[in-house]
Amino acid sequence: MPISHYPVIARAHTNIALIKYWGKANEKLIIPENNSLSMTLDNFYTDTSVQFSQSLTHDELILNHQLIDDSTRITKFLDLVRKRAGINFYAKVESINHVPTSAGMASSASAFSALAAASSKAAGLNLNFKDLSRLARRGSGSASRSIYGGFVEWKKGTNDSNSYAVSIQEHPIMDIRLITVILNRSHKRISSREGMKRSVQTSPYYDAWKKTTASDLQKVKNAISKNNFNQLGQVAESNAMKMHALTLSAWPDFMYFKPDTIKVINKVKSFRDNGINCYFTMDAGPNVIIVCLKKDSQFIKSNLSKTLKSDNIVVSGPGEGVKFLHKIKSEGK
Ligand code: PMV
């Protein structure tokens, strides 16, 4: 395919890992130490438009209508696409993050997944989902999973060609909901990249993490196929706590929890004591994601709204995989 003379627009949704990716076997190629499994969310997504052009003198990035001065990470990513397509044109990249309110949520998963789809097509490549996932992975590991909708597994592989995500169940049978409880909008102090590196190099528990994560993954896959929500929730919660234990046991130690994180965790446990089946997970930041069933989601949200702003409590269902659009939508949801 020749390069596109029109901007190519792609939409990708973000995802939350139920079995976490935490640690790289190869830093440069972003090959993980363990397989991970996520659910793509319907409520958080990024729309990205890309056009390569002979008339540009550098890559141009416009994020949420603002011109970004330092686009080094995008340029490094586009270099991969240019190399593969055999072109040397720069690109104009326009990206809009659709998150309810200015949530300050990490959006690298949806961002690099949308960028992989839009830039490869704009460069004249016609990549299948496997190759899109491999490409997205080079921007951010978790982006490899956002190519697909529903439940997705990232198979760690051993090299660039066999490390990619696959669909586990595109349209979940389970009536699952993930409630994002946004507690802190400021930037995290230790990036996931740095946090993983430190955990791999210094935590005495890293080997135990790798071993138990492999069996956690099997249990979650069984839970998905048998529609067993409690098993999925229990294993996801335990896996998240094991990931955070790596941060506590690393040196120098670090912690993503804030006091309010613990309050929400305790709240989830008290819901459970009162017969509501719900669990929690957390990424490399203080926000808590509550894993529950649709039938309980509104009760949980309204209960939490007594002490937290309801705008900061977002209920998401399963979202779809990456897709191409005709027009970029410029306003938030
Ligand atoms: O892909 P990154 O570099 O944003 O790392 C993601 C790390 C976690 O969100 C904590 C876990 C995961 O699997 O998404």
PDB file of all heavy atoms in Angstrom, residues 15-17 19-22 24 30 36-37 73 106 108-109 140-143 145 154 188 192-193 196 243 282-284, ligand 1:
ATOM      1  N   ASN A  15      -6.731  -0.390  29.022  1.00  0.00           N
ATOM      2  CA  ASN A  15      -7.048  -1.676  29.662  1.00  0.00           C
ATOM      3  C   ASN A  15      -6.482  -1.707  31.066  1.00  0.00           C
ATOM      4  O   ASN A  15      -5.551  -0.967  31.386  1.00  0.00           O
ATOM      5  CB  ASN A  15      -6.483  -2.833  28.818  1.00  0.00           C
ATOM      6  CG  ASN A  15      -4.969  -2.911  28.846  1.00  0.00           C
ATOM      7  OD1 ASN A  15      -4.379  -3.384  29.826  1.00  0.00           O
ATOM      8  ND2 ASN A  15      -4.314  -2.442  27.792  1.00  0.00           N
ATOM      9  N   ILE A  16      -7.072  -2.568  31.889  1.00  0.00           N
ATOM     10  CA  ILE A  16      -6.576  -2.758  33.263  1.00  0.00           C
ATOM     11  C   ILE A  16      -6.185  -4.225  33.399  1.00  0.00           C
ATOM     12  O   ILE A  16      -6.981  -5.119  33.078  1.00  0.00           O
ATOM     13  CB  ILE A  16      -7.668  -2.403  34.303  1.00  0.00           C
ATOM     14  CG1 ILE A  16      -7.994  -0.901  34.279  1.00  0.00           C
ATOM     15  CG2 ILE A  16      -7.270  -2.848  35.729  1.00  0.00           C
ATOM     16  CD1 ILE A  16      -6.890   0.010  34.775  1.00  0.00           C
ATOM     17  N   ALA A  17      -4.963  -4.450  33.891  1.00  0.00           N
ATOM     18  CA  ALA A  17      -4.500  -5.826  34.036  1.00  0.00           C
ATOM     19  C   ALA A  17      -5.078  -6.463  35.298  1.00  0.00           C
ATOM     20  O   ALA A  17      -5.078  -5.851  36.377  1.00  0.00           O
ATOM     21  CB  ALA A  17      -2.973  -5.860  34.087  1.00  0.00           C
ATOM     22  N   ILE A  19      -4.031  -9.733  35.806  1.00  0.00           N
ATOM     23  CA  ILE A  19      -2.734 -10.358  36.106  1.00  0.00           C
ATOM     24  C   ILE A  19      -1.695  -9.385  35.545  1.00  0.00           C
ATOM     25  O   ILE A  19      -1.687  -9.100  34.348  1.00  0.00           O
ATOM     26  CB  ILE A  19      -2.600 -11.737  35.404  1.00  0.00           C
ATOM     27  CG1 ILE A  19      -3.690 -12.703  35.881  1.00  0.00           C
ATOM     28  CG2 ILE A  19      -1.196 -12.332  35.631  1.00  0.00           C
ATOM     29  CD1 ILE A  19      -3.645 -13.062  37.353  1.00  0.00           C
ATOM     30  N   LYS A  20      -0.878  -8.843  36.426  1.00  0.00           N
ATOM     31  CA  LYS A  20      -0.026  -7.714  36.047  1.00  0.00           C
ATOM     32  C   LYS A  20       1.231  -8.102  35.293  1.00  0.00           C
ATOM     33  O   LYS A  20       1.819  -9.157  35.559  1.00  0.00           O
ATOM     34  CB  LYS A  20       0.432  -6.962  37.311  1.00  0.00           C
ATOM     35  CG  LYS A  20      -0.667  -6.498  38.231  1.00  0.00           C
ATOM     36  CD  LYS A  20      -1.499  -5.411  37.615  1.00  0.00           C
ATOM     37  CE  LYS A  20      -2.577  -4.928  38.582  1.00  0.00           C
ATOM     38  NZ  LYS A  20      -3.574  -4.082  37.922  1.00  0.00           N
ATOM     39  N   TYR A  21       1.625  -7.201  34.418  1.00  0.00           N
ATOM     40  CA  TYR A  21       2.952  -7.235  33.795  1.00  0.00           C
ATOM     41  C   TYR A  21       3.852  -6.409  34.707  1.00  0.00           C
ATOM     42  O   TYR A  21       3.566  -5.233  34.958  1.00  0.00           O
ATOM     43  CB  TYR A  21       2.809  -6.637  32.393  1.00  0.00           C
ATOM     44  CG  TYR A  21       3.933  -5.785  31.862  1.00  0.00           C
ATOM     45  CD1 TYR A  21       5.242  -6.256  31.801  1.00  0.00           C
ATOM     46  CD2 TYR A  21       3.652  -4.500  31.355  1.00  0.00           C
ATOM     47  CE1 TYR A  21       6.248  -5.455  31.269  1.00  0.00           C
ATOM     48  CE2 TYR A  21       4.645  -3.704  30.815  1.00  0.00           C
ATOM     49  CZ  TYR A  21       5.950  -4.179  30.785  1.00  0.00           C
ATOM     50  OH  TYR A  21       6.933  -3.387  30.265  1.00  0.00           O
ATOM     51  N   TRP A  22       4.876  -6.998  35.256  1.00  0.00           N
ATOM     52  CA  TRP A  22       5.759  -6.234  36.143  1.00  0.00           C
ATOM     53  C   TRP A  22       7.178  -6.782  36.014  1.00  0.00           C
ATOM     54  O   TRP A  22       7.554  -7.720  36.699  1.00  0.00           O
ATOM     55  CB  TRP A  22       5.244  -6.282  37.599  1.00  0.00           C
ATOM     56  CG  TRP A  22       5.869  -5.182  38.431  1.00  0.00           C
ATOM     57  CD1 TRP A  22       6.763  -5.326  39.445  1.00  0.00           C
ATOM     58  CD2 TRP A  22       5.634  -3.775  38.321  1.00  0.00           C
ATOM     59  NE1 TRP A  22       7.125  -4.090  39.953  1.00  0.00           N
ATOM     60  CE2 TRP A  22       6.435  -3.123  39.278  1.00  0.00           C
ATOM     61  CE3 TRP A  22       4.842  -2.975  37.479  1.00  0.00           C
ATOM     62  CZ2 TRP A  22       6.467  -1.726  39.430  1.00  0.00           C
ATOM     63  CZ3 TRP A  22       4.864  -1.581  37.642  1.00  0.00           C
ATOM     64  CH2 TRP A  22       5.659  -0.991  38.612  1.00  0.00           C
ATOM     65  N   LYS A  24      10.754  -6.492  33.007  1.00  0.00           N
ATOM     66  CA  LYS A  24      11.124  -6.776  31.612  1.00  0.00           C
ATOM     67  C   LYS A  24      12.308  -7.739  31.547  1.00  0.00           C
ATOM     68  O   LYS A  24      13.269  -7.598  32.290  1.00  0.00           O
ATOM     69  CB  LYS A  24      11.536  -5.479  30.908  1.00  0.00           C
ATOM     70  CG  LYS A  24      10.414  -4.463  30.744  1.00  0.00           C
ATOM     71  CD  LYS A  24      10.971  -3.209  30.081  1.00  0.00           C
ATOM     72  CE  LYS A  24       9.907  -2.131  29.886  1.00  0.00           C
ATOM     73  NZ  LYS A  24       9.372  -1.563  31.121  1.00  0.00           N
ATOM     74  N   ILE A  30      11.106  -4.401  25.013  1.00  0.00           N
ATOM     75  CA  ILE A  30       9.943  -4.557  25.896  1.00  0.00           C
ATOM     76  C   ILE A  30       9.374  -5.984  25.818  1.00  0.00           C
ATOM     77  O   ILE A  30       8.238  -6.222  25.392  1.00  0.00           O
ATOM     78  CB  ILE A  30       8.870  -3.463  25.674  1.00  0.00           C
ATOM     79  CG1 ILE A  30       9.554  -2.084  25.595  1.00  0.00           C
ATOM     80  CG2 ILE A  30       7.822  -3.496  26.753  1.00  0.00           C
ATOM     81  CD1 ILE A  30       8.655  -0.873  25.744  1.00  0.00           C
ATOM     82  N   SER A  36       0.668 -11.596  30.983  1.00  0.00           N
ATOM     83  CA  SER A  36      -0.294 -10.815  31.763  1.00  0.00           C
ATOM     84  C   SER A  36      -1.668 -10.916  31.105  1.00  0.00           C
ATOM     85  O   SER A  36      -1.774 -11.350  29.948  1.00  0.00           O
ATOM     86  CB  SER A  36       0.164  -9.356  31.857  1.00  0.00           C
ATOM     87  OG  SER A  36       0.425  -8.836  30.570  1.00  0.00           O
ATOM     88  N   LEU A  37      -2.701 -10.530  31.848  1.00  0.00           N
ATOM     89  CA  LEU A  37      -4.065 -10.650  31.317  1.00  0.00           C
ATOM     90  C   LEU A  37      -4.874  -9.428  31.749  1.00  0.00           C
ATOM     91  O   LEU A  37      -4.810  -9.032  32.913  1.00  0.00           O
ATOM     92  CB  LEU A  37      -4.706 -11.933  31.843  1.00  0.00           C
ATOM     93  CG  LEU A  37      -6.054 -12.321  31.250  1.00  0.00           C
ATOM     94  CD1 LEU A  37      -6.171 -13.847  31.175  1.00  0.00           C
ATOM     95  CD2 LEU A  37      -7.226 -11.759  32.038  1.00  0.00           C
ATOM     96  N   ARG A  73       9.582  10.547  22.460  1.00  0.00           N
ATOM     97  CA  ARG A  73       9.065   9.172  22.588  1.00  0.00           C
ATOM     98  C   ARG A  73       8.244   8.773  21.355  1.00  0.00           C
ATOM     99  O   ARG A  73       8.288   7.640  20.890  1.00  0.00           O
ATOM    100  CB  ARG A  73       8.218   9.085  23.875  1.00  0.00           C
ATOM    101  CG  ARG A  73       8.129   7.681  24.414  1.00  0.00           C
ATOM    102  CD  ARG A  73       7.517   7.630  25.783  1.00  0.00           C
ATOM    103  NE  ARG A  73       7.040   6.293  26.075  1.00  0.00           N
ATOM    104  CZ  ARG A  73       6.229   5.983  27.059  1.00  0.00           C
ATOM    105  NH1 ARG A  73       5.791   6.924  27.889  1.00  0.00           N
ATOM    106  NH2 ARG A  73       5.837   4.740  27.246  1.00  0.00           N
ATOM    107  N   ALA A 106      -3.198   7.204  33.680  1.00  0.00           N
ATOM    108  CA  ALA A 106      -2.171   6.829  32.712  1.00  0.00           C
ATOM    109  C   ALA A 106      -2.870   6.390  31.434  1.00  0.00           C
ATOM    110  O   ALA A 106      -3.830   5.638  31.482  1.00  0.00           O
ATOM    111  CB  ALA A 106      -1.339   5.687  33.268  1.00  0.00           C
ATOM    112  N   SER A 108      -1.021   5.472  28.488  1.00  0.00           N
ATOM    113  CA  SER A 108      -0.054   4.986  27.506  1.00  0.00           C
ATOM    114  C   SER A 108      -0.577   3.753  26.756  1.00  0.00           C
ATOM    115  O   SER A 108      -0.228   3.552  25.600  1.00  0.00           O
ATOM    116  CB  SER A 108       1.301   4.690  28.155  1.00  0.00           C
ATOM    117  OG  SER A 108       1.188   3.647  29.080  1.00  0.00           O
ATOM    118  N   ALA A 109      -1.426   2.950  27.393  1.00  0.00           N
ATOM    119  CA  ALA A 109      -1.942   1.756  26.720  1.00  0.00           C
ATOM    120  C   ALA A 109      -2.806   2.139  25.522  1.00  0.00           C
ATOM    121  O   ALA A 109      -2.572   1.681  24.395  1.00  0.00           O
ATOM    122  CB  ALA A 109      -2.729   0.881  27.688  1.00  0.00           C
ATOM    123  N   SER A 140       4.694   0.958  24.615  1.00  0.00           N
ATOM    124  CA  SER A 140       4.411   0.717  26.032  1.00  0.00           C
ATOM    125  C   SER A 140       3.882  -0.710  26.133  1.00  0.00           C
ATOM    126  O   SER A 140       2.982  -1.086  25.364  1.00  0.00           O
ATOM    127  CB  SER A 140       3.365   1.737  26.483  1.00  0.00           C
ATOM    128  OG  SER A 140       2.697   1.309  27.618  1.00  0.00           O
ATOM    129  N   GLY A 141       4.428  -1.496  27.035  1.00  0.00           N
ATOM    130  CA  GLY A 141       4.073  -2.913  27.113  1.00  0.00           C
ATOM    131  C   GLY A 141       2.573  -3.147  27.168  1.00  0.00           C
ATOM    132  O   GLY A 141       2.014  -3.952  26.404  1.00  0.00           O
ATOM    133  N   SER A 142       1.897  -2.411  28.046  1.00  0.00           N
ATOM    134  CA  SER A 142       0.465  -2.651  28.226  1.00  0.00           C
ATOM    135  C   SER A 142      -0.339  -2.307  26.966  1.00  0.00           C
ATOM    136  O   SER A 142      -1.456  -2.783  26.787  1.00  0.00           O
ATOM    137  CB  SER A 142      -0.059  -1.874  29.440  1.00  0.00           C
ATOM    138  OG  SER A 142       0.283  -0.511  29.318  1.00  0.00           O
ATOM    139  N   ALA A 143       0.226  -1.479  26.068  1.00  0.00           N
ATOM    140  CA  ALA A 143      -0.468  -1.110  24.828  1.00  0.00           C
ATOM    141  C   ALA A 143      -0.660  -2.323  23.914  1.00  0.00           C
ATOM    142  O   ALA A 143      -1.599  -2.361  23.116  1.00  0.00           O
ATOM    143  CB  ALA A 143       0.314  -0.028  24.092  1.00  0.00           C
ATOM    144  N   ARG A 145      -1.875  -5.012  24.661  1.00  0.00           N
ATOM    145  CA  ARG A 145      -3.163  -5.663  24.976  1.00  0.00           C
ATOM    146  C   ARG A 145      -4.353  -4.845  24.476  1.00  0.00           C
ATOM    147  O   ARG A 145      -5.445  -5.394  24.288  1.00  0.00           O
ATOM    148  CB  ARG A 145      -3.267  -5.902  26.495  1.00  0.00           C
ATOM    149  CG  ARG A 145      -2.191  -6.848  27.049  1.00  0.00           C
ATOM    150  CD  ARG A 145      -2.409  -7.108  28.549  1.00  0.00           C
ATOM    151  NE  ARG A 145      -2.526  -5.891  29.291  1.00  0.00           N
ATOM    152  CZ  ARG A 145      -1.738  -5.511  30.308  1.00  0.00           C
ATOM    153  NH1 ARG A 145      -0.758  -6.299  30.738  1.00  0.00           N
ATOM    154  NH2 ARG A 145      -1.937  -4.367  30.919  1.00  0.00           N
ATOM    155  N   TRP A 154      -1.386 -11.144  27.118  1.00  0.00           N
ATOM    156  CA  TRP A 154      -0.116 -10.821  26.450  1.00  0.00           C
ATOM    157  C   TRP A 154       0.835 -11.979  26.713  1.00  0.00           C
ATOM    158  O   TRP A 154       1.206 -12.233  27.851  1.00  0.00           O
ATOM    159  CB  TRP A 154       0.441  -9.505  26.991  1.00  0.00           C
ATOM    160  CG  TRP A 154       1.809  -9.106  26.481  1.00  0.00           C
ATOM    161  CD1 TRP A 154       2.508  -9.619  25.435  1.00  0.00           C
ATOM    162  CD2 TRP A 154       2.650  -8.069  27.032  1.00  0.00           C
ATOM    163  NE1 TRP A 154       3.727  -8.980  25.294  1.00  0.00           N
ATOM    164  CE2 TRP A 154       3.840  -8.021  26.262  1.00  0.00           C
ATOM    165  CE3 TRP A 154       2.499  -7.174  28.102  1.00  0.00           C
ATOM    166  CZ2 TRP A 154       4.871  -7.120  26.547  1.00  0.00           C
ATOM    167  CZ3 TRP A 154       3.523  -6.285  28.376  1.00  0.00           C
ATOM    168  CH2 TRP A 154       4.689  -6.260  27.602  1.00  0.00           C
ATOM    169  N   LYS A 188       2.916  10.334  38.957  1.00  0.00           N
ATOM    170  CA  LYS A 188       3.538   9.389  39.890  1.00  0.00           C
ATOM    171  C   LYS A 188       5.045   9.675  39.964  1.00  0.00           C
ATOM    172  O   LYS A 188       5.656  10.114  38.991  1.00  0.00           O
ATOM    173  CB  LYS A 188       3.242   7.965  39.458  1.00  0.00           C
ATOM    174  CG  LYS A 188       3.620   7.641  38.056  1.00  0.00           C
ATOM    175  CD  LYS A 188       3.046   6.301  37.650  1.00  0.00           C
ATOM    176  CE  LYS A 188       3.336   6.008  36.207  1.00  0.00           C
ATOM    177  NZ  LYS A 188       2.306   5.326  35.500  1.00  0.00           N
ATOM    178  N   SER A 192       6.489   3.355  35.879  1.00  0.00           N
ATOM    179  CA  SER A 192       6.406   1.891  35.892  1.00  0.00           C
ATOM    180  C   SER A 192       7.714   1.301  35.346  1.00  0.00           C
ATOM    181  O   SER A 192       8.200   0.280  35.823  1.00  0.00           O
ATOM    182  CB  SER A 192       5.194   1.395  35.116  1.00  0.00           C
ATOM    183  OG  SER A 192       5.151   1.981  33.856  1.00  0.00           O
ATOM    184  N   ARG A 193       8.314   1.987  34.377  1.00  0.00           N
ATOM    185  CA  ARG A 193       9.571   1.520  33.793  1.00  0.00           C
ATOM    186  C   ARG A 193      10.650   1.381  34.871  1.00  0.00           C
ATOM    187  O   ARG A 193      11.284   0.351  35.024  1.00  0.00           O
ATOM    188  CB  ARG A 193      10.015   2.549  32.744  1.00  0.00           C
ATOM    189  CG  ARG A 193      11.147   2.111  31.859  1.00  0.00           C
ATOM    190  CD  ARG A 193      11.282   3.091  30.706  1.00  0.00           C
ATOM    191  NE  ARG A 193      10.175   2.921  29.778  1.00  0.00           N
ATOM    192  CZ  ARG A 193      10.319   2.742  28.467  1.00  0.00           C
ATOM    193  NH1 ARG A 193      11.513   2.737  27.934  1.00  0.00           N
ATOM    194  NH2 ARG A 193       9.275   2.590  27.689  1.00  0.00           N
ATOM    195  N   MET A 196       9.640  -1.234  37.701  1.00  0.00           N
ATOM    196  CA  MET A 196       9.831  -2.634  37.300  1.00  0.00           C
ATOM    197  C   MET A 196      11.305  -3.012  37.390  1.00  0.00           C
ATOM    198  O   MET A 196      11.661  -4.069  37.885  1.00  0.00           O
ATOM    199  CB  MET A 196       9.420  -2.824  35.832  1.00  0.00           C
ATOM    200  CG  MET A 196       7.964  -2.828  35.596  1.00  0.00           C
ATOM    201  SD  MET A 196       7.673  -3.074  33.827  1.00  0.00           S
ATOM    202  CE  MET A 196       6.000  -2.451  33.746  1.00  0.00           C
ATOM    203  N   MET A 243       2.267  -7.832  43.324  1.00  0.00           N
ATOM    204  CA  MET A 243       3.044  -6.851  42.549  1.00  0.00           C
ATOM    205  C   MET A 243       3.492  -5.704  43.454  1.00  0.00           C
ATOM    206  O   MET A 243       4.647  -5.279  43.431  1.00  0.00           O
ATOM    207  CB  MET A 243       2.194  -6.308  41.396  1.00  0.00           C
ATOM    208  CG  MET A 243       2.932  -5.292  40.553  1.00  0.00           C
ATOM    209  SD  MET A 243       1.824  -4.250  39.563  1.00  0.00           S
ATOM    210  CE  MET A 243       2.159  -2.644  40.281  1.00  0.00           C
ATOM    211  N   MET A 282      -4.741  -2.543  41.667  1.00  0.00           N
ATOM    212  CA  MET A 282      -4.124  -1.223  41.503  1.00  0.00           C
ATOM    213  C   MET A 282      -2.951  -1.335  40.549  1.00  0.00           C
ATOM    214  O   MET A 282      -2.248  -2.326  40.559  1.00  0.00           O
ATOM    215  CB  MET A 282      -3.550  -0.689  42.826  1.00  0.00           C
ATOM    216  CG  MET A 282      -4.555  -0.252  43.829  1.00  0.00           C
ATOM    217  SD  MET A 282      -4.524  -1.243  45.315  1.00  0.00           S
ATOM    218  CE  MET A 282      -3.208  -2.315  45.142  1.00  0.00           C
ATOM    219  N   ASP A 283      -2.725  -0.274  39.750  1.00  0.00           N
ATOM    220  CA  ASP A 283      -1.547  -0.229  38.878  1.00  0.00           C
ATOM    221  C   ASP A 283      -0.435   0.567  39.569  1.00  0.00           C
ATOM    222  O   ASP A 283      -0.452   0.692  40.783  1.00  0.00           O
ATOM    223  CB  ASP A 283      -1.930   0.365  37.519  1.00  0.00           C
ATOM    224  CG  ASP A 283      -2.637  -0.680  36.664  1.00  0.00           C
ATOM    225  OD1 ASP A 283      -2.489  -1.878  36.964  1.00  0.00           O
ATOM    226  OD2 ASP A 283      -3.329  -0.298  35.712  1.00  0.00           O
ATOM    227  N   ALA A 284       0.472   1.133  38.769  1.00  0.00           N
ATOM    228  CA  ALA A 284       1.601   1.849  39.366  1.00  0.00           C
ATOM    229  C   ALA A 284       1.202   3.272  39.763  1.00  0.00           C
ATOM    230  O   ALA A 284       1.715   4.261  39.258  1.00  0.00           O
ATOM    231  CB  ALA A 284       2.750   1.864  38.371  1.00  0.00           C
TER     232      ALA A 284
HETATM  233  O1  PMV B   1       3.068  -0.684  29.941  1.00  0.00           O
HETATM  234  P1  PMV B   1       3.464   0.154  31.083  1.00  0.00           P
HETATM  235  O2  PMV B   1       4.906   0.529  31.013  1.00  0.00           O
HETATM  236  O3  PMV B   1       2.543   1.322  31.256  1.00  0.00           O
HETATM  237  O4  PMV B   1       3.350  -0.727  32.423  1.00  0.00           O
HETATM  238  C1  PMV B   1       2.133  -1.182  32.939  1.00  0.00           C
HETATM  239  C2  PMV B   1       2.297  -1.691  34.326  1.00  0.00           C
HETATM  240  C3  PMV B   1       1.030  -2.001  35.100  1.00  0.00           C
HETATM  241  O5  PMV B   1      -0.002  -1.137  34.704  1.00  0.00           O
HETATM  242  C4  PMV B   1       1.292  -1.779  36.567  1.00  0.00           C
HETATM  243  C5  PMV B   1       0.608  -3.456  34.917  1.00  0.00           C
HETATM  244  C6  PMV B   1      -0.059  -3.843  33.617  1.00  0.00           C
HETATM  245  O6  PMV B   1       0.058  -5.017  33.269  1.00  0.00           O
HETATM  246  O7  PMV B   1      -0.725  -3.015  32.985  1.00  0.00           O
END
